[in-house]
Amino acid sequence: MFHTKFQEPLITAYYSIGSRPLDNWAVHQCKEGEMQHVQDDELKSNVLQIQSPNVNACCITCPMNPKASLGIKLPFVTLLVKNLGRFFTFEITILDSENIRRRLRTSNYHTIKKQSMFMITMPFCMNEGWNQLNMNLAEITSDSFKTTYVETVRIQVHANCRLRRIYFSDLLYKDDQLPNAYRMHGTKDVREKTKSMLKKKAMVVDQKSAGDKL
């Protein structure tokens, strides 16, 4: 999707504001699942709510074509998600220097890190309310597979969460370094009120921090 485009320091893969935010996403919804855009009381704007007792069966995936690739070369990915107090997982598929697709999966219900040749599963903890989840894809690829990160192929976000935005970046920016639309809260008054809360909720998900939780 982004192979032929100039890649700026910030690239948005999903944003809940707009008339058709899921245009480039495939929606996989199981019978017991719920997937809809709702008004979040804290953010005062629309967000995507994904809920299901079957975490793996209910998800959104980008790109829609399973044979296509996002082609995003930026090494950091950030998700703005709300903890719903239930199991939650998301997965990033990357391409490395050996031309192998590796899957990086994180979840709040695994307690230990697991790794195979093509996949690593990492545990993480979420605070109450909105969280900013960051992954250094280049570092995880290097530490886990001893190869070099080339690009992101695919993103999957599963139940259970509320999703505001997914974006890639060349660096891990602080909140005050980001454009207003990329911050957790849109107005200056709300940002100042929640500044200390967001600092507590900011979390970097990487292999080293995951290992510390074992």
Side-chain angles (χ1 to χ4, degrees), residues 12 139 143 146 148 158 189 193 203:
T12 293
E139 183 176 281
D143 290 348
K146 310 305 179 187
T148 302
H158 292 255
D189 291 342
K193 182 178 179 181
M203 176 179 61

Side-chain angles (χ1 to χ4, degrees), residues 27-44:
V27 176
H28 307 278
Q29 186 171 351
C30 59
K31 185 177 180 180
E32 304 85 3
E34 171 196 56
M35 194 175 301
Q36 61 180 336
H37 283 90
V38 299
Q39 183 82 2
D40 185 77
D41 293 337
E42 187 175 349
L43 297 187
K44 308 299 181 184

Side-chain angles (χ1 to χ4, degrees), residues 11-135:
I11 295 178
T12 293
Y14 174 82
Y15 186 39
S16 60
I17 305 300
S19 58
R20 304 173 69 178
L22 286 170
D23 260 4
N24 297 315
W25 292 75
V27 176
H28 307 278
Q29 186 171 351
C30 59
K31 185 177 180 180
E32 304 85 3
E34 171 196 56
M35 194 175 301
Q36 61 180 336
H37 283 90
V38 299
Q39 183 82 2
D40 185 77
D41 293 337
E42 187 175 349
L43 297 187
K44 308 299 181 184
S45 67
N46 284 341
V47 297
L48 178 64
Q49 180 167 284
I50 310 174
Q51 292 193 111
S52 174
N54 188 336
V55 175
N56 290 320
C58 191
C59 69
I60 57 172
T61 305
C62 186
M64 297 179 68
N65 183 348
K67 295 182 179 180
S69 171
L70 279 169
I72 297 176
K73 299 184 181 298
L74 302 178
F76 291 91
V77 61
T78 299
L79 287 79
L80 304 184
V81 294
K82 189 171 190 177
N83 182 4
L84 298 181
R86 303 173 66 183
F87 289 160
F88 166 63
T89 185
F90 67 93
E91 184 177 299
I92 309 291
T93 302
I94 63 98
L95 183 72
D96 69 6
S97 54
E98 294 185 350
N99 202 34
I100 297 175
R101 294 188 176 193
R102 318 272 191 178
R103 296 162 59 197
L104 316 178
R105 169 169 279 212
T106 60
S107 73
N108 65 355
Y109 53 85
H110 286 99
T111 57
I112 60 172
K113 181 181 67 179
K114 296 181 180 180
Q115 183 176 341
S116 65
M117 182 179 295
F118 302 107
M119 181 176 180
I120 181 169
T121 300
M122 298 168 287
F124 70 92
C125 296
M126 294 178 71
N127 292 302
E128 184 180 348
W130 283 94
N131 288 250
Q132 179 176 298
L133 308 182
N134 305 303
M135 291 180 70

